[in-house]
Amino acid sequence: MRSILRAIVLLCLAACLATPGLAAAACPKTSVADIEDEVMCPVCGTPLALATEAPQANRERAFVLELVERCRSKAQIKAALVDQFGPRVLAMPRREGFDLAAYSVPLLALLAAGAGIAVATLRWRRAAAAEHSEKGSDGTPAADATGGAELEADMARYDL
Amino acid sequence: MVRRPPSPLPLAVVVGVIALVGLLAYGLASSEPDRGIERALARGERQPPPAFTLPRLGESGKSSLADFRGQVVVLNYWASWCEPCRAESPLLERWQRRLARRNATVVGVNVLDVSSDALSFVREYDLTYPMLRDRDGRTQRALGIVAYPETFVLDRRGWIVATRRGPVDERFLERTVLPLLDERE
């Protein structure tokens, strides 16, 4: 009898300890602070985290808090915000459809600019090298073959 | 003799600076509110509003401004978080009761708001006029709206006759709406 009672007490204790863990597992935790830097205050045109005074931002923050307290995940809360305020509420464009251009166009522009600078630098260096070889190593113009022959003839004429 | 081209790096820097200045100028120009309606009204010209269709607040279906053609319309942009909107709502409801008898109506456009808040607002002030919902504010740019509330008075042809940037008062409505009630389309 005593062992049965002990088993029941242990079971109750285990259940009490397990309940918060189960609840935590069922409730994806996020916070207002975690979300407000990833969404916009549409009226202010700034991320929600920066809009501390605007009434619309305060209402939006309260809406996020209500959903956090209802154990909604970050993705669910963002979806709810899009449902309420449209896709422009997201601070970062989505990585699909036309919004993908927000990531790909700057990247392509950067690559094109880099390639342009590289090509121009190469051409500039080649031209610099050609100019350098045209001059002597000491920076004076190098004598060409005709000039050399003329110099030899002059030297012979003066019979030094 | 090979002519040495200029170094590309200063050129890249100059192009970069020009691009940044251009971007800044574009940003400043695009953030300026459109005041074309005010300018036209100041010249005494009525203005056609931008055509739009919006979902009805708290109901299924959509409505457009064209649906109200033939009526004098007081088009009011509002949000539940906007304190001046709270102050003017009872006045707009009083005018709605008055206008409904003369083939005229107030039309509310709830903008950038949580829909449940907007519906609570409508219930709180017992607003009976048609309500549309512009969740992301896409219709307000063409109307030059930058703050709330803002109100536009439309004649029976659906053209803008007057605007009020800020809360309306009795005097504004009497001065702008009453003369239109006797006009024909």
Side-chain angles (χ1 to χ4, degrees), chain A residues 42-43 55-56 59-60 63 66 82-88 116-117 120-121 123-124 127-128 130-131 134-135, chain B residues 1-9 12 80-82 112-117 133-138 140 146 148:
Chain A
V43 171
Q56 196 265 345
R59 185 58 203 107
E60 188 181 338
F63 178 71
E66 282 165 30
V82 169
D83 189 45
Q84 291 296 329
F85 301 108
R88 285 192 307 169
I117 289 174
T121 306
R123 289 177 67 177
W124 180 70
E131 190 185 38
E134 206 173 79
K135 295 176 178 178
Chain B
M1 184 176 166
V2 180
R3 188 154 173 250
R4 186 175 175 174
S7 167
L9 287 176
S80 66
W81 42 262
C82 148
L112 296 168
D113 208 350
V114 176
S115 55
S116 56
D117 291 356
R133 176 165 157 75
D134 183 0
R135 64 174 189 168
D136 54 5
R138 69 190 163 89
Q140 59 180 3
V146 289
Y148 310 99

Side-chain angles (χ1 to χ4, degrees), chain A residues 76-91:
Chain A
Q76 285 174 322
I77 293 172
K78 281 186 171 180
L81 284 168
V82 169
D83 189 45
Q84 291 296 329
F85 301 108
R88 285 192 307 169
V89 77
L90 299 176

Side-chain angles (χ1 to χ4, degrees), chain B residues 6 12 15 25-26 52 55 61 66 76 78 85 92 98 116-117 137 156 162 178 184:
Chain B
V15 169
Y26 172 75
F52 59 74
N76 174 251
W78 66 277
C85 303
L92 286 170
R98 190 172 167 183
S116 56
D117 291 356
R156 294 193 193 280
L178 291 181
R184 290 189 179 182

Side-chain angles (χ1 to χ4, degrees), chain A residues 74-151:
Chain A
K74 194 170 169 178
Q76 285 174 322
I77 293 172
K78 281 186 171 180
L81 284 168
V82 169
D83 189 45
Q84 291 296 329
F85 301 108
R88 285 192 307 169
V89 77
L90 299 176
M92 298 290 281
R94 288 171 301 173
R95 288 175 184 162
E96 59 186 48
F98 182 75
D99 288 355
L100 192 63
Y103 299 95
S104 57
V105 169
L107 190 69
L108 288 174
L110 205 66
L111 286 174
I117 289 174
V119 166
T121 306
L122 268 175
R123 289 177 67 177
W124 180 70
R125 288 183 71 176
R126 264 191 219 141
E131 190 185 38
H132 186 74
S133 66
E134 206 173 79
K135 295 176 178 178
S137 59
D138 56 353
T140 55
D144 59 19
T146 327
E150 281 173 4
L151 184 63

Side-chain angles (χ1 to χ4, degrees), chain B residues 45-110:
Chain B
E45 295 168 11
R46 295 184 181 186
Q47 279 289 294
F52 59 74
T53 301
L54 289 170
R56 291 188 208 110
L57 178 67
E59 295 173 36
S60 58
K62 295 182 173 186
S63 285
S64 71
L65 275 184
D67 296 343
F68 299 99
R69 195 156 293 159
Q71 298 185 65
V72 173
V73 173
V74 177
L75 183 68
N76 174 251
Y77 275 72
W78 66 277
S80 66
W81 42 262
C82 148
E83 281 304 317
C85 303
R86 292 187 170 275
E88 74 170 0
S89 284
L91 174 68
L92 286 170
E93 179 54 30
R94 279 203 305 278
W95 270 78
Q96 169 62 16
R97 288 164 201 260
R98 190 172 167 183
L99 293 174
R101 298 192 294 264
R102 308 271 316 261
N103 196 22
T105 185
V106 178
V107 175
V109 180
N110 173 248

